[in-house]
Amino acid sequence: SIQKYRRVREEFLAGLPDNVRYLEHSGTTVCGLQIWGSPTCVCRYETLGKRYYSNAFETQRQERQRIWRSIPEGLDLLITHNPPKGTLCHSVVGDDLLTARLAGMASPPRFHCFGHDHDWFGVSSTSATVSLNGAQEGVRRLDPSDRTCAWVFDVQLRS
């Protein structure tokens, strides 16, 4: 039920350390960097016609459109669960609404980190944005020693 979800969510958020910022369709500034994040992802009921037990942050189109419209201009770092359609992902995984929002921005994010599609781990870039798909399950399957690691990169502050 929605009440149970809210209670569990509030308990989770209350238990986070002071130096952790949970971003759910929201932003923060860290060391001068403008960051915005959302765990929202494409609804598999809409794309595949199937309901799953663990649909977590799967969100229908109308709500995703509202969420993506709230991404501010001029970000240093955008963090989403889902990739934009056409960027380091299979066509059924990427979100066309997120693609449209990013394409329509006058000042798109400098970096966009996402995951979800484990078969397209990697980096790509346009003249405005460096995109990083950090989903490593596919890499882990290929490496029996399981020596994957987190992405680490430097972001220069704007002057």
Side-chain angles (χ1 to χ4, degrees), residues 88-119:
L88 297 171
C89 67
H90 290 286
S91 61
V92 296
V93 175
D95 189 337
D96 62 319
L97 298 174
L98 180 55
T99 301
R101 170 62 178 140
L102 295 173
M105 295 179 85
S107 182
R110 293 170 41 196
F111 294 89
H112 182 190
C113 297
F114 51 83
H116 192 71
D117 194 336
H118 296 269
D119 294 329

Side-chain angles (χ1 to χ4, degrees), residues 1-153:
S1 78
I2 194 72
Q3 260 91 19
K4 181 179 178 184
Y5 163 77
R6 287 184 179 142
R7 182 181 49 77
V8 169
R9 182 182 185 278
E10 292 307 315
E11 288 174 7
F12 167 76
L13 293 175
L16 292 175
D18 291 340
N19 65 341
V20 173
R21 292 173 180 92
Y22 175 69
L23 302 177
E24 187 174 340
H25 330 310
S26 59
T28 189
T29 302
V30 177
C31 299
L33 297 174
Q34 298 295 315
I35 303 168
W36 192 92
S38 175
T40 294
C41 61
V42 171
C43 177
R44 290 178 286 185
Y45 183 71
E46 289 178 338
T47 59
L48 302 174
K50 299 178 183 179
R51 293 197 186 276
Y52 290 81
Y53 178 72
S54 64
N55 62 1
F57 290 100
E58 292 184 20
T59 309
Q60 294 186 356
R61 288 185 68 82
Q62 186 175 354
E63 180 64 11
R64 285 196 329 273
Q65 192 163 35
R66 184 191 66 74
I67 291 167
W68 299 146
R69 273 196 307 258
S70 69
I71 298 172
E73 295 275 350
L75 291 171
D76 294 300
L77 176 60
L78 173 63
I79 305 169
T80 61
H81 181 86
N82 235 104
K85 189 171 192 164
T87 304
L88 297 171
C89 67
H90 290 286
S91 61
V92 296
V93 175
D95 189 337
D96 62 319
L97 298 174
L98 180 55
T99 301
R101 170 62 178 140
L102 295 173
M105 295 179 85
S107 182
R110 293 170 41 196
F111 294 89
H112 182 190
C113 297
F114 51 83
H116 192 71
D117 194 336
H118 296 269
D119 294 329
W120 287 75
F121 174 76
V123 179
S124 71
S125 64
T126 65
S127 60
T129 304
V130 175
S131 298
L132 300 98
N133 179 341
Q136 297 186 28
E137 186 59 33
V139 174
R140 290 181 60 218
R141 282 188 232 121
L142 295 173
D143 183 1
S145 63
D146 191 18
R147 294 187 181 143
T148 58
C149 63
W151 286 94
V152 178
F153 59 95

